[in-house]
Amino acid sequence: MLKGKNIVLGVTGGIAVYKAVDIVSRLKKLGANINVIMTNSSTKFVTPLTFQSMSQNHVTVDMFEEPKQWEIEHISLASKADIFLIAPATANIIGKVANGIADDMLSTTIMATKARVVFAPAMNTNMYVNPIFKQNVEKLKSLGYEFISPASGRLACGDYGEGKLADPVDIVEYVVNIFNNNELEGKKVLITAGPTIEPLDPVRYMTNFSSGKMGYALAEEAKRRGGEVVLITGPTSLTPPSGVSVKKVNTTREMYKAIEDEFDTCDVLIKSAAPLDYRPESVSDQKIKKSDDDLCVRFVRNPDIVAHFGNIKKHQLVVGFAAETQNILENAKKKIKSKNLDFIVANDVTSENAGFRTDNNTATIINKNGEVKGLPNMSKADLSKVILDEIGSLLRR
């Protein structure tokens, strides 16, 4: 399953080091070639000889030890890696990388690699919830580094809570999925995100409550699966994923034009943005002054972006979103037909812990044949995986 794949495993100092031995064993049985880099502190828990025996490769600890072959080892391993996995990953190594510190063999090699880097954190609960640590994690995620969430339970120190190293089975499954989920390699994916705005005058505009979180999560996951991703985004406070081409727009017509410029050469369009359906018929070039009279504004229709591109598509897959407050399935099914979509993701934006401005969503996927797949409440990152699994399935057909 992993035959011919080169995985560099970084092992840092924590009681969970013993589980890393199991990770090496499982990856080795799947055919992977494993090179292990240990920090000095990790050798206090498990000896390098153990990892050498399991990986059948020399284990690197000291950056200045006599080289086994005539090459700069940290550069050699950095270039060799298909995946760079750090398990267990302490707060220390995560903090080092987040702040550009390279002062030992492991941190230096991580800084030098262009491979996908995956951290599997393990630490005391209080350390895991520390805002400084959380800030480091968010910084690294914004730069394209990946994280396998730790488990909750009784920790070695006796505390209960989040911070246990994820089960080795789950960590290995994550690595396997990285190599399996490459169905977007060679595919150009357009993703729209966020709201649009429509000005009334130089200081006021209309918009909606869309945060862009769903579209940004989709862009990150599509990039992770090998896609050439173009993120067309309305105004948000979010940081775009690393390695993604970004086009910033304001109005619905600007979003329409940005898609139009890319559509002929794309393979997939995911319309997760919430563009405004209407705009003021006229925009004042001066601030509209307050008066004793009511203000009446006439609105005109904006272009229906997803309907237009759904109905002119040739080879492309077009996926829409339906943010509804009532008659969710009925309205979504109408949109699939009228907009010629391959499938639609419908959700009730009034649901608790779902919809606009939240990190979670409760969605239903409906395909063009009317088949309905209800999903539980989940993070938008997890929902993006489900949506892209669906897209991958259609592409394979």
Side-chain angles (χ1 to χ4, degrees):
M1 189 179 294
L2 297 179
K3 188 174 182 180
K5 302 300 182 183
N6 293 309
I7 299 170
V8 175
L9 175 67
V11 181
T12 64
I15 191 63
V17 170
Y18 74 94
K19 293 184 180 179
V21 179
D22 188 22
I23 293 171
V24 173
S25 175
R26 291 175 182 275
L27 290 173
K28 193 72 181 173
K29 288 174 182 176
L30 293 174
N33 178 56
I34 314 294
N35 288 95
V36 179
I37 303 174
M38 300 181 72
T39 61
N40 278 314
S41 57
S42 70
T43 65
K44 307 299 181 184
F45 295 92
V46 176
T47 67
L49 180 60
T50 302
F51 284 102
Q52 185 170 304
S53 300
M54 297 302 296
S55 68
Q56 298 172 13
N57 280 320
H58 171 70
V59 173
T60 305
V61 180
D62 184 0
M63 191 167 180
F64 300 103
E65 69 180 346
E66 184 177 343
K68 303 303 177 192
Q69 47 196 352
W70 293 111
E71 55 188 8
I72 301 174
E73 194 164 13
H74 73 280
I75 299 298
S76 172
L77 290 173
S79 300
K80 180 181 183 179
D82 293 310
I83 294 292
F84 205 127
L85 171 67
I86 300 93
T90 58
N92 184 57
I93 190 65
I94 291 168
K96 281 184 180 181
V97 179
N99 290 281
I101 298 171
D103 62 354
D104 61 7
M105 188 65 179
L106 180 56
S107 57
T108 301
T109 311
I110 294 171
M111 296 290 286
T113 192
K114 291 185 178 180
R116 289 173 69 168
V117 178
V118 181
F119 291 97
M123 63 198 72
N124 173 268
T125 297
N126 293 331
M127 295 174 70
Y128 186 73
V129 299
N130 185 291
I132 298 173
F133 173 75
K134 292 292 188 184
Q135 190 176 55
N136 286 335
V137 170
E138 290 308 311
K139 180 179 179 180
L140 289 175
K141 283 183 176 180
S142 74
L143 295 171
Y145 292 83
E146 300 175 36
F147 285 80
I148 301 173
S149 298
S152 295
R154 187 182 186 281
L155 306 177
C157 62
D159 288 347
Y160 283 84
E162 231 176 345
K164 288 169 63 72
L165 182 69
D167 192 291
V169 173
D170 295 330
I171 293 173
V172 171
E173 182 181 10
Y174 188 99
V175 172
V176 169
N177 285 338
I178 286 176
F179 292 110
N180 288 344
N181 289 340
N182 60 352
E183 66 269 21
L184 295 181
E185 193 168 341
K187 304 293 184 184
K188 182 174 178 180
V189 184
L190 300 187
I191 299 172
T192 67
T196 58
I197 63 175
E198 298 290 350
L200 289 165
D201 64 21
V203 297
R204 301 182 182 91
Y205 60 82
M206 293 176 54
T207 189
N208 58 45
F209 293 118
S210 175
S211 65
K213 289 180 178 181
M214 189 70 248
Y216 278 61
L218 283 162
E220 184 171 355
E221 184 64 23
K223 180 63 181 175
R224 188 175 288 136
R225 298 185 183 212
E228 176 194 347
V229 180
V230 179
L231 176 63
I232 299 171
T233 176
T236 77
S237 60
L238 304 175
T239 301
S242 178
V244 167
S245 175
V246 179
K247 288 189 167 188
K248 294 184 178 181
V249 300
N250 286 315
T251 69
T252 297
R253 286 175 291 175
E254 288 173 358
M255 183 170 282
Y256 174 95
K257 180 63 168 62
I259 299 171
E260 187 177 50
D261 291 344
E262 305 280 351
F263 190 69
D264 285 346
T265 58
C266 87
D267 299 284
V268 181
L269 169 62
I270 308 175
K271 247 310 263 86
S272 61
L276 293 177
D277 295 326
Y278 296 90
R279 68 180 186 273
E281 185 176 41
S282 61
V283 179
S284 174
D285 58 0
Q286 300 294 327
K287 178 182 175 182
I288 300 171
K289 301 298 290 182
K290 180 171 62 177
S291 72
D292 293 333
D293 296 327
D294 292 336
L295 177 65
C296 295
V297 179
R298 178 178 171 82
F299 293 95
V300 295
R301 280 283 283 140
N302 267 325
D304 188 327
I305 295 176
V306 72
H308 171 77
F309 291 103
N311 285 304
I312 68 166
K313 68 181 182 179
K314 297 174 183 175
H315 63 280
Q316 298 93 341
L317 291 178
V318 178
V319 177
F321 275 67
E324 302 287 350
T325 58
Q326 58 184 346
N327 302 325
I328 315 298
L329 296 184
E330 180 184 341
N331 288 332
K333 287 178 179 179
K334 287 179 182 177
K335 287 180 179 180
I336 291 178
K337 292 182 179 179
S338 65
K339 301 174 193 286
N340 194 30
L341 304 178
D342 291 280
F343 68 87
I344 196 166
V345 182
N347 65 292
D348 183 348
V349 294
T350 65
S351 295
E352 186 177 355
N353 195 28
F356 291 157
R357 290 185 173 179
T358 69
D359 293 325
N360 283 33
N361 218 340
T362 305
T364 301
I365 292 177
I366 309 165
N367 67 21
K368 61 170 62 175
N369 298 320
E371 296 168 344
V372 176
K373 181 189 293 184
L375 301 171
N377 185 272
M378 64 179 73
S379 71
K380 289 179 178 176
D382 286 340
L383 178 57
S384 71
K385 294 174 184 175
V386 175
I387 293 168
L388 286 163
D389 284 346
E390 199 77 19
I391 289 171
S393 177
L394 290 174
L395 288 172
R396 284 191 294 273
R397 293 178 203 169

